[in-house]
Amino acid sequence: TRFTTIINSLNNLGKSYSNQELVRKILRCLPKSWTPKVTAIEEAKDLSTLPLEQLLGSLMTHETTMKNHENVEVKKKKSIALKASKEDSESDEDGDVALLTSQFKKFLKSQK
């Protein structure tokens, strides 16, 4: 959309580009992750006759496919759940006795 807006503004100012130039500009500005798709388009289609709308449709379809694959990969990741078990030990009992003792002391102070 931004590209089309810029091209339309340039047309209004008197600067026009051929369809082939527009197609090449879009293909050049794509990130490196799109290199396989760009190569496939360049080899499979004649860029001098490829309509800009067809190129944009093809790129949008590829983008949607890439997003779907990312969503599937996120869902496939397995998570590991660990079970916690608590064993009674003497240290836990000592902590319980200490807590009970401190609460009993507070109760006695409040009664005095």
Side-chain angles (χ1 to χ4, degrees), residues 3 17-30 38 41-43 45-50 52 55 59:
F3 182 78
Y17 292 96
S18 68
N19 189 60
Q20 182 180 2
E21 289 175 307
L22 297 177
V23 168
R24 289 192 183 279
K25 284 183 185 294
I26 288 179
L27 292 177
R28 274 196 315 259
C29 74
L30 292 172
V38 170
I41 289 172
E42 289 174 345
E43 290 179 356
K45 310 221 182 217
D46 181 15
L47 297 184
S48 61
T49 59
L50 178 65
L52 184 61
L55 173 68
L59 294 175

Side-chain angles (χ1 to χ4, degrees), residues 2 6 9-11 18 25 28 31 34 36 42-43 67-68 76 78 81 87-88 90 93 97-98 101:
R2 286 180 22 204
I6 292 169
S9 297
L10 287 171
N11 283 336
S18 68
K25 284 183 185 294
R28 274 196 315 259
W34 287 67
E42 289 174 345
E43 290 179 356
K67 285 182 181 179
N68 286 341
K76 284 186 177 180
K78 294 181 180 179
E87 296 180 13
D88 289 337
E90 291 180 17
E93 290 174 5
V97 171
T101 304

Side-chain angles (χ1 to χ4, degrees), residues 8-105:
N8 289 337
S9 297
L10 287 171
N11 283 336
N12 291 338
L13 295 172
K15 178 66 175 165
S16 62
Y17 292 96
S18 68
N19 189 60
Q20 182 180 2
E21 289 175 307
L22 297 177
V23 168
R24 289 192 183 279
K25 284 183 185 294
I26 288 179
L27 292 177
R28 274 196 315 259
C29 74
L30 292 172
K32 286 188 177 187
S33 62
W34 287 67
T35 303
K37 182 63 176 178
V38 170
T39 304
I41 289 172
E42 289 174 345
E43 290 179 356
K45 310 221 182 217
D46 181 15
L47 297 184
S48 61
T49 59
L50 178 65
L52 184 61
E53 295 78 19
Q54 185 179 354
L55 173 68
L56 294 176
S58 176
L59 294 175
M60 288 169 56
T61 302
H62 181 65
E63 182 180 29
T64 304
T65 304
M66 286 178 23
K67 285 182 181 179
N68 286 341
H69 286 305
E70 288 175 5
N71 290 341
V72 168
E73 287 176 6
V74 168
K75 289 179 183 177
K76 284 186 177 180
K77 287 186 178 179
K78 294 181 180 179
S79 60
I80 298 173
L82 302 176
K83 291 185 178 181
S85 62
K86 182 177 179 183
E87 296 180 13
D88 289 337
S89 66
E90 291 180 17
S91 64
D92 288 340
E93 290 174 5
D94 291 342
D96 291 342
V97 171
L99 179 64
L100 185 60
T101 304
S102 68
Q103 288 177 348
F104 184 69
K105 284 181 182 179

